[in-house]
């Protein structure tokens, strides 16, 4: 897989996680569906202006899109409840962490289906 294809796959992943179709994301970011498809397939690279808009408008993690490394948020970016959840998650066994991830994914998938 080429770097452009890897970047496109990560962009596609974030779009799907946001519960958006290619059409919807293209409209929100001011590109055609074909251009969006080209970005996601790796046929062409998304310009910085597009990525900046994706970050500011939709909260997309540009560092993750570009290099596959998730950006870490400063503690003040999390609410007290979110910080507590992360602390609790980190304190449980890897097996329990996996169970939480599966449960959360199932809930998010259900929420995405309900939005469609």
């Amino acid at each position: 897989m080429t770097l452009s294809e890897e970047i496109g796959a990560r962009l596609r992943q974030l779009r799907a996680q946001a519960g958006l179709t290619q059409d919807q994301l293209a409209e929100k970011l001011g590109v055609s569906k074909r251009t969006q498809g080209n970005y996601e397939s790796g046929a062409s690279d998304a310009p910085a202006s597009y990525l900046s808009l994706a970050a500011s408008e939709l909260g997309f993690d540009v560092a993750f899109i570009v290099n596959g490394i998730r950006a870490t948020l400063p503690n003040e970016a999390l609410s007290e409840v979110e910080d507590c959840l992360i602390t609790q998650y980190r304190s449980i066994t890897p097996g329990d962490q996996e169970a939480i991830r599966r449960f959360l994914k199932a809930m998010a998938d259900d929420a995405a289906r309900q939005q469609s």
Side-chain angles (χ1 to χ4, degrees):
M1 185 178 281
T2 68
L3 179 58
S4 292
E5 290 169 334
E6 290 174 10
I7 290 170
R10 290 189 290 268
L11 179 58
R12 185 172 46 254
Q13 177 186 348
L14 293 183
R15 175 184 55 78
Q17 286 174 352
L20 298 170
T21 65
Q22 278 189 349
D23 283 330
Q24 292 167 327
L25 184 59
E27 183 178 329
K28 288 180 182 293
L29 298 179
V31 299
S32 70
K33 180 184 178 189
R34 180 181 177 139
T35 298
Q36 181 64 41
N38 286 340
Y39 293 162
E40 291 185 21
S41 71
S44 61
D45 294 326
S49 57
Y50 169 93
L51 295 173
S52 178
L53 194 58
S56 64
E57 295 294 318
L58 301 166
F60 281 18
D61 182 350
V62 174
F64 173 70
I65 294 169
V66 173
N67 62 27
I69 299 171
R70 298 247 182 220
T72 57
L73 298 173
N75 284 342
E76 61 271 10
L78 300 176
S79 72
E80 189 174 321
V81 171
E82 292 166 331
D83 186 52
C84 181
L85 286 169
I86 290 170
T87 300
Q88 291 170 339
Y89 174 84
R90 289 177 177 167
S91 73
I92 62 178
T93 68
D96 288 343
Q97 288 177 352
E98 174 61 28
I100 293 295
R101 289 192 302 271
R102 283 194 315 271
F103 178 73
L104 187 57
K105 182 178 182 329
M107 290 182 70
D109 290 347
D110 185 55
R113 277 192 300 278
Q114 289 177 12
Q115 289 177 354
S116 299

